[in-house]
Amino acid sequence: MRPGYSRGPVTRLSRYFLPTTREDPADAEAASHRLLVRAGLARQVGTGLWTWLPAGWRAHRKVEQIVREELDAIGAAEMLMPVLQPAEPWKKTGRYEIEELFKLHDRRDAELVLAMTHEEVITLHASREIRSYRDLPKLLYHFQIKERDEPRPRAGVLRTREFIMKDAYSFDRDEAGLDRSYQLYIEAYDRIFDRTGLEWYRVESDVGMMGGIGAHEYMAPCVAGENEVALSDAGYAANVEIASAEPRPVDGLPEGLPGPEPVETPGTTTIAAVTALLGVPAGALIKALPVVVEGRGPVLVLVRGDNRLAEIKLQNALGAPARPAEAQEVRDLFGTEPGFIGPIGAQVDVLADEALRGLHGLVTGANELDTHLRGVEPERDFQAQWADVRRVEAGDRDPSGAEIRIEPAIEVGNIFKLGTRYSEPLGARYLDEQGSEQPIVMGSYGIGPARIVAAAIEQFHDEQGISWPRALAPFDIELVTLGKEGEEAREVADRLYDDLRAGGFDVLYDDRDGSPGEKFADAELLGCPLRLTIGKRGLEAGQVDAQIRRGQEQRSLPLDGLVQAAAELWTSLP
């Protein structure tokens, strides 16, 4: 090594690109958005488009390395697939029509897409290279840019139009093999998220646009989360989109009647207005929701008046997407007036939520203007198809009887049992022991490094800035000198910078000619786990001032043997 050069990048703040700011970005909604910008970690280029600056990219790469190590450990092999892809495989799988998919043509007018995920291409490779049961199982993964024509980018790097994801895939002979591969990835993901230092949980989820036969999501709880998760102390965990639970009983349910009785309810088209007029609880109402189902037509969906419809659960129950009927459609297709619709005498199919089963004394629209019916009993007074289509609410009970709570969370990873969702249309088949062709059974496993970075900031920040988990911090230690050029404190700090780096630490060295207040404010903002400050007073005492960023605890470390003392302190940090 040449004199004057040290191993690794120069990370002196006098030369490093770390453009911190004192003001929050005007459009910041989430703490991670605000602090990514203020701490000089990232900058927005356009709507939903972000540049990772050097320190932010270091944090991103630390996430990638944790993921890489754990996937390598289960035998997954890393590769790299292109972002620009032919459109034909996407047409074969039926995903070409997804609105968020970027579509384009080249100079020869060939149809192309910018991949938002890589199931189509990885399955094409499998269809061409895997021939026999002897070639299975296979575990593959890559890190690659994704492009998504996101209609509402928000919250900094949490919902963007371009981002990097880790996609992993499994290829097996049958569902039993898929179960084994799926479990391998679960164990790897559990270790990954433990190592990141995040608070996290694994929840049941919907397969969504990925398709397949089962899915889980990894969630990091935080107030900026765009997902909601149903949890209980008994271990129940599911995305609210698909969660199921025993509903809270209705307090004050009216007594049953021999049959439905009409009651005048002029102008009462809302749950609140009807409950106020009739003096009944919201749970005593049947909320009738007219919807139009794709490829099927009108359906009347019923939920309890104190419940909300879960759109994903409804779509799964119907087997197709549904949209709310417009006012004129209610008149033309359902034969009644908006606000007074009900299931008795309905002219369309009726789908009722399970929470209504067995109740009596209910109130619902009479299909006549300004009129409701009371004393209604499902199954006695109307027939319906039954399904769980309501949104789980706080206070419901999980299958063990434990009370459910609802928490916002960031989705940081997901895993899917794809089955033959992609192998069938793309011809990915193998010959079994009898020489018969069988479709390859697949799994897909995603992790968003940017979301993990953002979740860490959301979970671990205070009024001064970020407080990184040790595993994800852009730098292990920030070294601050209070000495000016030619002073002992500067000379000692220069030497300690080299010693700490030689000791294996990633060190950011604030050697700028700024005030102590400015340096400390920037250090708090960036949030390295440990800050070491070299000043005249400390040197006279033979000590270095240390601050643990999490909780801002102050310590003194001996100047002699500082690297060893810093290592012992650093390894004890969260």
Side-chain angles (χ1 to χ4, degrees):
M1 188 180 301
R2 288 180 291 165
Y5 283 77
S6 59
R7 186 178 289 107
V10 174
T11 51
R12 293 172 177 259
L13 263 179
S14 59
R15 296 170 59 185
Y16 197 71
F17 187 46
L18 188 74
T20 59
T21 67
R22 293 288 169 258
E23 301 298 323
D24 292 340
D27 59 342
E29 302 173 8
S32 55
H33 181 179
R34 177 169 55 83
L35 291 171
L36 277 167
V37 173
R38 287 194 54 207
L41 302 175
R43 286 292 184 270
Q44 189 168 0
V45 176
T47 303
L49 301 171
W50 286 80
T51 292
W52 289 95
L53 301 185
W57 186 236
R58 289 177 68 95
H60 196 288
R61 290 175 64 195
K62 286 196 172 184
V63 175
E64 291 181 20
Q65 188 57 27
I66 290 171
V67 173
R68 184 173 282 112
E69 289 171 5
E70 294 299 339
L71 293 192
D72 289 351
I74 64 170
E78 187 172 3
M79 58 191 296
L80 184 64
M81 292 174 279
V83 180
L84 184 65
Q85 300 178 4
E88 187 58 29
W90 290 78
K91 292 183 176 181
K92 288 182 178 179
T93 61
R95 297 208 300 173
Y96 185 71
E97 299 307 320
I98 293 174
E99 289 186 10
E100 290 80 10
L101 183 66
F102 279 105
K103 308 171 181 74
L104 63 156
H105 292 76
D106 68 11
R107 67 183 65 195
R108 296 177 180 84
D109 208 32
E111 292 181 296
L112 302 167
V113 302
L114 297 178
M116 57 197 304
T117 181
H118 280 73
E119 280 71 22
E120 278 75 7
V121 165
I122 194 71
T123 308
L124 274 182
H125 288 306
S127 71
R128 295 167 179 169
E129 311 300 336
I130 294 175
R131 294 284 178 263
S132 164
Y133 69 93
R134 296 186 181 89
D135 299 327
L136 298 170
K138 287 284 186 293
L139 306 179
L140 301 168
Y141 75 98
H142 76 157
F143 291 89
Q144 182 56 289
I145 293 169
K146 313 294 180 186
E147 305 286 352
R148 180 185 176 98
D149 194 5
E150 173 59 51
R152 290 176 298 278
R154 59 175 293 273
V157 299
L158 284 177
R159 184 165 289 277
T160 58
R161 305 176 78 193
E162 178 177 285
F163 51 94
I164 292 172
M165 273 200 69
K166 185 281 302 172
D167 300 328
Y169 302 94
S170 62
F171 300 88
D172 286 281
R173 298 169 56 182
D174 49 31
E175 287 193 14
L178 171 59
D179 288 344
R180 289 189 291 272
S181 294
Y182 197 80
Q183 186 59 36
L184 278 176
Y185 276 104
I186 282 178
E187 292 168 2
Y189 270 43
D190 287 358
R191 289 191 296 269
I192 287 165
F193 289 107
D194 280 343
R195 286 182 61 183
T196 64
L198 291 180
E199 298 174 22
W200 64 273
Y201 31 70
R202 176 177 5 106
V203 307
E204 298 174 23
S205 67
D206 182 62
V207 296
M209 70 174 183
M210 298 291 290
I213 53 178
H216 289 82
E217 293 168 332
Y218 283 77
M219 295 287 194
C222 70
V223 294
E226 59 189 354
N227 294 90
E228 288 189 303
V229 180
L231 302 167
S232 79
D233 291 339
Y236 182 80
N239 192 311
V240 163
E241 290 180 340
I242 66 154
S244 295
E246 184 71 23
R248 293 165 295 173
V250 180
D251 292 330
L253 193 66
E255 292 294 325
L257 298 176
E261 294 182 355
V263 57
E264 291 185 9
T265 53
T268 54
T269 59
T270 65
I271 296 292
V274 176
T275 57
L277 179 67
L278 301 183
V280 296
L285 271 64
I286 297 175
K287 188 190 299 182
L289 305 167
V291 302
V292 179
V293 183
E294 188 176 294
R296 176 174 172 179
V299 173
L300 187 62
V301 181
L302 310 179
V303 296
R304 226 168 67 179
D306 60 344
N307 288 160
R308 290 176 284 173
L309 182 66
E311 294 180 3
I312 297 296
K313 293 167 75 173
L314 176 64
Q315 178 174 318
N316 291 340
L318 294 171
R323 62 169 176 81
E326 297 176 0
Q328 193 57 47
E329 288 176 318
V330 173
R331 298 183 183 98
D332 296 342
L333 300 178
F334 294 82
T336 186
E337 282 295 316
F340 298 95
I341 192 169
I344 297 179
Q347 301 176 15
V348 300
D349 292 341
V350 177
L351 176 67
D353 181 68
E354 290 286 354
L356 289 166
R357 196 191 289 269
L359 299 185
H360 56 74
L362 302 180
V363 176
T364 188
N367 292 316
E368 295 180 17
L369 187 65
D370 294 338
T371 308
H372 280 73
L373 297 173
R374 61 185 175 191
V376 175
E377 289 189 19
E379 297 184 295
R380 182 194 71 181
D381 300 324
F382 65 87
Q383 297 302 310
Q385 175 190 349
W386 292 90
D388 175 15
V389 295
R390 74 182 188 92
R391 185 186 188 278
V392 167
E393 304 286 355
D396 292 344
R397 300 283 174 175
D398 76 4
S400 74
E403 186 171 301
I404 280 178
R405 65 186 185 277
I406 308 294
E407 289 186 2
I410 295 171
E411 179 188 344
V412 289
N414 49 48
I415 55 178
F416 299 91
K417 290 183 176 181
L418 299 177
T420 59
R421 163 70 178 83
Y422 295 88
S423 55
E424 288 280 17
L426 294 173
R429 309 178 73 82
Y430 71 95
L431 295 178
D432 64 16
E433 293 97 322
Q434 287 73 44
S436 300
E437 275 199 345
Q438 303 293 343
I440 296 172
V441 181
M442 294 174 56
S444 176
Y445 315 87
I447 280 180
R451 284 176 160 258
I452 292 175
V453 170
I457 297 172
E458 292 287 342
Q459 289 186 351
F460 306 111
H461 72 275
D462 54 27
E463 292 182 0
Q464 283 71 45
I466 306 167
S467 179
W468 289 102
R470 185 160 50 97
L472 305 186
F475 300 94
D476 302 323
I477 294 172
E478 179 158 355
L479 179 66
V480 177
T481 180
L482 301 184
K484 300 186 183 301
E485 197 68 45
E487 295 180 351
E488 183 186 10
R490 172 64 64 89
E491 294 172 359
V492 171
D494 286 349
R495 185 176 70 250
L496 288 175
Y497 174 57
D498 293 334
D499 291 346
L500 288 164
R501 296 174 78 207
F505 288 106
D506 289 330
V507 184
L508 180 65
Y509 178 25
D510 193 343
D511 62 338
R512 298 173 299 174
D513 291 327
S515 69
E518 178 186 2
K519 293 186 175 189
F520 293 154
D522 278 352
E524 297 286 309
L525 191 57
L526 182 61
C528 298
L530 183 62
R531 187 181 81 209
L532 302 177
T533 303
I534 312 299
K536 179 180 179 182
R537 191 176 304 171
L539 290 180
E540 290 172 351
Q543 294 179 334
V544 171
D545 293 329
Q547 186 208 58
I548 298 170
R549 179 62 183 85
R550 187 79 56 86
Q552 299 177 312
E553 179 186 346
Q554 304 291 333
R555 301 261 187 106
S556 292
L557 299 181
L559 183 59
D560 290 339
L562 176 68
V563 174
Q564 180 61 31
E568 292 174 1
L569 178 55
W570 184 82
T571 32
S572 72
L573 303 180

